[in-house]
Amino acid sequence: MGSTVNTSAVFRGPVKFSNCSETKGIRYETDNLDFKVRTDGTIYATQEVQIPSEQTMFMVTAWDLQALERWETMVRLLVGDKSQHKGHKKGKRNTSADLLQPPSDILLPWRHLQNSHGLRRQKRDWVIPPINVPENSRGPFPQQLVRIRSDKDSEIHIRYSITGVGADQPPMEVFNIDPVSGRMYVTRPMDREERASYHLRAHAVDMNGNKVENPIDLYIYVIDMNDNRPEFINQVYNGSVDEGSKPGTYVMTVTANDADDSTTANGMVRYRIVTQTPQSPSQNMFTINSETGDIVTVAAGLDREKVQQYTVIIQATDMEGNLNYGLSNTATAIIMVTDVNDNPPEFTASTYSGEVPENRVEVVVANLTVMDRDQPHSPNWNAVYRIISGDPSGHFTIRTDPVTNEGLVTVVRAVDYEMNRAFMLTVMVSNQAPLASGIQMSFQSTAGVTISVTDVNEPPYFPANHRLIRLEEGVPTGTALTTFSAVDPDRFMQQAVRYSKLSDPANWLNINATNGQITTTAVLDRESAYIKNNVYEATFLAADNGIPPASGTGTLQIYLIDINDNAPELLPKEAQICEKPNLNVINITAADADIDPNVGPFVFELPSVPSAIRKNWTITRLNGDYAQLSLRIMYLEAGVYDVPIIVTDSGNPPLFNMSIIKVKVCPCDENGDCTTIGAVAAAGLGTGAIIAILICIIILLSMVLLFVVWMKRREKERHTKQLLIDPEDDVRDNILKYDEEGGGEEDQDYDLSQLQQPESMDHVLNKANGVRRVDERPVGAEPQYPIRPVIPHPGDIGDFINEGLRAADNDPTAPPYDSLLVFDYEGSGSTAGSVSSLNSSSSGDQDYDYLNDWGPRFKKLADMYGGGEED
């Protein structure tokens, strides 16, 4: 069965011819009228041809019109199955009728023929047209591509080889060649997306390896098959479009790439919209440009308040969008409908009301609520409030709550109940963003606000606070200065205002509690320390009797005008001058507590009495404030002189003062300075007096030193002095040494450990409070009973006992420091009895007169316990 080729068929393959240099001036002829060769070497069918077998062969002749040379070659065309792409697994076939399999062999190079002039070609080169190989071929492999022959193969044995990428360079052995026959093969399926072309070089050598022909370039192109689907750059595209947009408004662009050849239908991608969700208000709200992927609106009616987002499925198909043969892929386009300000804000009520106390600021008096259907928290939704009438003085402002979008009517300037009891405001609301074109404001965007003002008790105030009055200083006590009264702003309340003094540093003023009249309680003195810049300042309090009471303060400033009430004082008070005149002088001036014009210029003069003053001294005027005091006589004995000087100011009337200046007159050196001896002499002390003073100082220091030495020695003796009591007369030592007292048989039942000489401090540390020896330094904590007087160190033991007895009598919390403490137990058979029996006989029934026979040391005990005669 034959094959039919139409007239538009073009045979793609290695059948494009060219000579060794240029194709210009080459003319081709064939011996088959069904096929012709174009000037670029492409073979085409001139008419619909019925090929009886699987191949056809014909001769092609090429004429070089310039070189007058001719070449010819045999072309064999094979008719094969229609090519398949990688999509053959899905059963898709390429049905193009104009693509034929390339020939299996071409005899190359052209055999050189003799031209009509009998000339022969001197140099021959191989010229092989490009070889086209379809990708994804099923084989069988190896598959012949072309046969290379040299026209010298009839004379000698030739070996063929190929080099280049795909032959002897990676990827290796994609192509190989039969070295004897020159047939070149492809060994495996090709992939154009992996490599689209190969450049090889063919070599012809003899059996000895000598080059027979120059190497020939072989260009192998891999023919594309539709084996790749379009791939979107992003699987999900995000775009936006304003609500209310007109048809044709651009939204976004989606892009898909196809790895196949973009110059063929295999790589030409076309787009279309598959689905749209939701399908409201129309199922076709958008369209897409099939070639560019631009998505635009196609219908009106986008409304964000109804549909905020559209999901569109986009399909990309190659083969120029042919759904039957092309490969497809999909992506998702999410289109957000953006908000525009097409809904004006509207108040939820036509009127609002609020209440505010007077004199309060930053108080929210009313909340205005609005409704806006635009996107929340956007400029199209955010409300802006303004007062258009009812508040000419600017007492209120409206702030927007950023969360709720409510309007907060706030007091920014205090309101006065006595001035305005209520406000009627007209407010308007708008958005931060202007309304969209064609949208008008709603009548509900305006509302009224009624604000009532409540009365509160306001403090009285002084209309002229920091009031300033002027008067002369020295006004007498009880003078009425002014009436400093306050005003109660509560005109609708019948309240009384009372005044009191809050601050009066010098306590000069008094204020009437009912009418605020201020009078003086002392003479006002401008020169007082409480005056600053001639102004005295006092503060007064005005309080009403409202509920709750309120008070206000006022400050009164009194500017005191100076009068000449202070006489000038001479300066300096002391000076020195040489005993001879014309060596130096004393500059004198005056100080006056008053101010101009009650101060200088001053008049300095010497009194006429005593006469010696003017005889010895003279005053020379320098200017209105200074004068010079100097000696009038040639010599004045060294010493200290009191010079009286009368200073008079320029006040009206003028005041004068006689001041004394102490002048030391002394001998001077050549520079006019007092010498040291002269200064002493001027002080009025002679040499003998100075020596006497020094001797007195030395004696005084010696006495102090002797007293200190004596005190240190006495202190040392006190620490080293032994007990003044004779050891033989010391009852405690006797008892401790003998360790017993004798007595009857029952006298052995006592504990003498308390009477022993202490060898350690344990018994002292454990001794009960109030029991200690008077000649021991306490080791433990002092007892808490009253402190006894320090016992002196008498020479007589009797005085010692008397002092201890008096201390015991005055201490009710402890027993006396005598033998009663030491002899706490003496046995039961003693004639004298025991101390415990003495303690138990507090009523004095027993007779203790026998103690008098023991000596003077026990006579006090007899008197204390027995009531005997006093010693």
Side-chain angles (χ1 to χ4, degrees):
M1 182 176 180
S3 299
T4 302
V5 179
N6 57 28
T7 57
S8 62
V10 177
F11 297 88
R12 299 173 182 173
V15 291
K16 184 176 180 180
F17 306 97
S18 63
N19 65 358
C20 62
S21 57
E22 299 179 352
T23 59
K24 185 177 180 180
I26 301 296
R27 182 167 59 87
Y28 299 96
E29 295 180 354
T30 65
D31 59 357
N32 190 335
L33 298 178
D34 294 332
F35 299 95
K36 286 188 177 182
V37 182
R38 296 190 179 98
T39 56
D40 61 352
T42 303
I43 300 175
Y44 66 94
T46 59
Q47 60 183 354
E48 185 174 329
V49 180
Q50 181 71 29
I51 299 176
S53 61
E54 295 297 327
Q55 66 178 359
T56 182
M57 297 182 64
F58 53 89
M59 179 70 69
V60 178
T61 304
W63 297 86
D64 188 343
L65 301 179
Q66 294 180 356
L68 299 177
E69 294 183 347
R70 180 169 66 91
W71 296 269
E72 61 182 15
T73 186
M74 183 66 66
V75 176
R76 181 174 59 185
L77 298 179
L78 301 179
V79 179
D81 294 336
K82 297 176 181 181
S83 301
Q84 300 176 356
H85 50 73
K86 289 183 179 180
H88 67 281
K89 293 182 180 180
K90 294 185 179 181
K92 295 184 179 180
R93 295 176 58 86
N94 190 336
T95 58
S96 300
D98 60 342
L99 183 61
L100 300 181
Q101 184 175 334
S104 59
D105 64 337
I106 298 178
L107 302 178
L108 293 174
W110 301 83
R111 288 179 295 168
H112 182 252
L113 302 178
Q114 187 175 358
N115 60 17
S116 58
H117 298 283
L119 298 177
R120 296 190 62 85
R121 177 177 171 86
Q122 298 300 320
K123 183 178 181 181
R124 295 191 298 267
D125 286 325
W126 294 0
V127 178
I128 302 290
I131 304 172
N132 295 328
V133 180
E135 66 173 333
N136 303 325
S137 175
R138 293 186 176 182
F141 297 100
Q143 183 178 5
Q144 180 180 337
L145 296 180
V146 69
R147 180 182 179 188
I148 300 173
R149 287 180 52 195
S150 173
D151 53 0
K152 294 183 179 180
D153 59 354
S154 60
E155 301 174 0
I156 60 175
H157 296 285
I158 297 177
R159 293 291 182 268
Y160 302 96
S161 63
I162 55 176
T163 59
V165 176
D168 60 346
Q169 298 177 19
M172 307 285 286
E173 297 181 353
V174 177
F175 305 97
N176 59 26
I177 191 171
D178 188 324
V180 177
S181 63
R183 291 184 175 86
M184 191 175 73
Y185 301 92
V186 59
T187 61
R188 59 189 181 211
M190 309 292 287
D191 187 354
R192 190 200 69 86
E193 288 73 39
E194 179 180 344
R195 190 177 185 88
S197 64
Y198 297 86
H199 179 200
L200 304 177
R201 294 179 68 87
H203 306 270
V205 298
D206 59 14
M207 300 301 293
N208 296 325
N210 298 320
K211 182 174 67 174
V212 176
E213 300 283 357
N214 291 330
I216 185 173
D217 291 324
L218 300 177
Y219 293 95
I220 302 173
Y221 295 101
V222 181
I223 301 174
D224 182 51
M225 296 294 174
N226 191 19
D227 57 347
N228 291 279
R229 295 178 181 274
E231 295 291 341
F232 282 95
I233 296 177
N234 300 313
Q235 195 59 36
V236 177
Y237 290 84
N238 292 284
S240 62
V241 62
D242 290 340
E243 62 174 329
S245 297
K246 297 179 180 180
T249 302
Y250 171 81
V251 179
M252 69 170 76
T253 299
V254 297
T255 303
N257 298 322
D258 197 314
D260 294 325
D261 191 356
S262 60
T263 62
T264 66
N266 298 335
M268 295 181 181
V269 179
R270 298 294 181 265
Y271 305 92
R272 73 185 186 95
I273 294 178
V274 180
T275 60
Q276 168 196 306
T277 306
Q279 297 181 357
S280 173
S282 170
Q283 62 180 358
N284 294 318
M285 295 297 296
F286 306 95
T287 185
I288 188 170
N289 187 303
S290 62
E291 295 185 0
T292 64
D294 294 340
I295 300 176
V296 297
T297 60
V298 72
L302 291 173
D303 190 351
R304 190 203 66 84
E305 287 72 38
K306 295 180 179 179
V307 179
Q308 299 183 6
Q309 174 181 304
Y310 288 91
T311 302
V312 179
I313 305 300
I314 308 298
Q315 184 182 60
T317 307
D318 57 17
M319 297 301 292
E320 299 180 291
N322 190 321
L323 299 178
N324 294 325
Y325 304 107
L327 302 179
S328 300
N329 214 336
T330 60
T332 302
I334 298 177
I335 302 174
M336 300 294 299
V337 181
T338 57
D339 183 49
V340 298
N341 195 12
D342 57 348
N343 294 283
E346 297 177 347
F347 284 105
T348 58
S350 59
T351 59
Y352 298 86
S353 62
E355 185 178 83
V356 59
E358 62 175 335
N359 302 324
R360 295 282 299 276
V361 294
E362 296 301 324
V363 178
V364 177
V365 297
N367 287 17
L368 311 181
T369 56
V370 296
M371 180 182 65
D372 196 320
R373 291 186 294 274
D374 291 320
Q375 184 175 357
H377 305 290
S378 69
N380 301 327
W381 179 83
N382 295 335
V384 177
Y385 301 87
R386 61 190 180 94
I387 300 173
I388 60 178
S389 65
D391 185 23
S393 300
H395 291 286
F396 304 94
T397 188
I398 305 179
R399 298 166 181 162
T400 303
D401 188 314
V403 177
T404 63
N405 213 28
E406 293 181 353
L408 309 178
V409 182
T410 308
V411 181
V412 293
R413 183 180 175 187
V415 295
D416 189 356
Y417 175 82
E418 287 70 28
M419 299 294 295
N420 297 97
R421 299 187 182 185
F423 291 86
M424 300 294 296
L425 308 181
T426 301
V427 299
M428 176 180 288
V429 63
S430 59
N431 294 123
Q432 290 180 349
L435 290 175
S437 177
I439 305 300
Q440 301 296 327
M441 289 291 295
S442 171
F443 71 94
Q444 295 181 351
S445 298
T446 304
V449 181
T450 302
I451 300 176
S452 300
V453 181
T454 58
D455 191 18
V456 297
N457 185 25
E458 301 175 80
Y461 68 93
F462 292 87
N465 205 350
H466 281 73
R467 181 178 176 183
L468 178 65
I469 61 174
R470 300 171 65 92
L471 63 132
E472 289 186 348
E473 64 173 327
V475 295
T477 302
T479 302
L481 302 182
T482 185
T483 299
F484 195 33
S485 59
V487 177
D488 192 346
D490 296 315
R491 295 179 297 169
F492 303 102
M493 297 182 183
Q494 300 300 324
Q495 299 179 149
V497 178
R498 299 190 63 82
Y499 303 92
S500 61
K501 189 167 57 174
L502 189 63
S503 172
D504 182 11
N507 199 23
W508 285 345
L509 305 175
N510 183 42
I511 187 169
N512 188 291
T514 57
N515 59 17
Q517 186 182 47
I518 296 176
T519 57
T520 61
T521 59
V523 177
L524 307 186
D525 185 7
R526 193 201 65 84
E527 290 74 33
S528 172
Y530 299 103
I531 301 297
K532 295 182 179 180
N533 298 324
N534 302 326
V535 176
Y536 180 75
E537 189 172 280
T539 306
F540 299 93
L541 183 70
D544 61 21
N545 58 350
I547 301 175
S551 61
T553 60
T555 301
L556 179 66
Q557 294 178 330
I558 304 174
Y559 185 90
L560 295 177
I561 302 172
D562 184 45
I563 62 174
N564 194 16
D565 58 345
N566 292 278
E569 293 287 338
L570 182 68
L571 294 176
K573 299 296 185 181
E574 296 181 355
Q576 68 180 19
I577 193 172
C578 294
E579 60 188 3
K580 295 181 180 180
N582 300 326
L583 291 179
N584 55 14
V585 295
I586 300 173
N587 292 324
I588 59 176
T589 185
D592 198 324
D594 295 322
I595 61 175
D596 191 66
N598 298 320
V599 289
F602 300 104
V603 177
F604 302 93
E605 57 184 348
L606 296 173
S608 58
V609 178
S611 60
I613 298 299
R614 291 191 175 186
K615 178 182 177 182
N616 296 335
W617 305 92
T618 182
I619 293 179
T620 304
R621 181 182 176 87
L622 295 179
N623 53 38
D625 294 330
Y626 289 91
Q628 289 182 341
L629 176 65
S630 60
L631 288 172
R632 179 184 291 272
I633 60 178
M634 296 302 296
Y635 173 79
L636 185 63
E637 184 180 357
V640 178
Y641 296 87
D642 292 338
V643 181
I645 298 176
I646 300 174
V647 184
T648 306
D649 61 21
S650 299
N652 185 19
L655 295 181
F656 68 90
N657 183 29
M658 180 180 291
S659 301
I660 303 297
I661 179 172
K662 289 184 176 295
V663 181
K664 295 180 181 179
V665 180
C666 60
C668 297
D669 54 17
E670 62 276 5
N671 297 323
D673 298 329
C674 282
T675 61
T676 305
I677 299 176
V680 175
L685 296 177
T687 304
I690 296 174
I691 294 175
I693 292 174
L694 293 176
I695 292 175
C696 291
I697 293 175
I698 293 173
I699 292 174
L700 181 61
L701 293 176
S702 300
M703 292 177 64
V704 171
L705 181 62
L706 290 174
F707 179 75
V708 171
V709 172
W710 178 77
M711 289 296 293
K712 288 186 174 293
R713 183 175 181 182
R714 184 178 177 184
E715 183 70 20
K716 184 177 180 180
E717 289 177 354
R718 287 184 59 184
H719 289 292
T720 58
K721 191 173 183 180
Q722 298 294 328
L723 185 64
L724 296 179
I725 304 175
D726 191 344
E728 296 181 357
D729 296 332
D730 191 351
V731 179
R732 292 169 295 178
D733 279 351
N734 293 335
I735 295 175
L736 293 173
K737 286 181 179 180
Y738 290 101
D739 199 28
E740 63 179 3
E741 291 187 353
E745 291 77 10
E746 297 179 2
D747 202 21
Q748 307 300 321
D749 296 335
Y750 52 84
D751 183 9
L752 296 180
S753 62
Q754 300 294 329
L755 308 178
Q756 294 179 354
Q757 183 73 24
E759 297 179 357
S760 66
M761 302 302 296
D762 295 339
H763 74 286
V764 178
L765 296 175
N766 299 326
K767 189 182 297 182
N769 290 338
V771 181
R772 66 183 179 91
R773 293 177 55 177
V774 297
D775 57 339
E776 292 179 354
R777 184 178 180 180
V779 178
E782 289 290 340
Q784 301 300 318
Y785 49 79
I787 300 176
R788 297 176 179 176
V790 178
I791 299 176
H793 299 277
D796 189 358
I797 192 62
D799 295 335
F800 174 77
I801 295 177
N802 289 334
E803 294 294 333
L805 182 60
R806 281 195 295 270
D809 291 340
N810 295 328
D811 185 7
T813 62
Y817 293 126
D818 53 20
S819 58
L820 178 64
L821 293 175
V822 177
F823 302 103
D824 195 21
Y825 178 77
E826 297 187 27
S828 59
S830 174
T831 306
S834 64
V835 177
S836 60
S837 64
L838 295 176
N839 292 333
S840 63
S841 302
S842 60
S843 62
D845 294 339
Q846 298 183 12
D847 186 7
Y848 296 100
D849 294 338
Y850 63 89
L851 294 177
N852 294 326
D853 299 334
W854 291 8
R857 292 191 296 273
F858 296 93
K859 189 175 182 180
K860 290 290 184 181
L861 294 175
D863 294 340
M864 182 175 65
Y865 290 97
E869 296 179 0
E870 294 184 1
D871 188 16

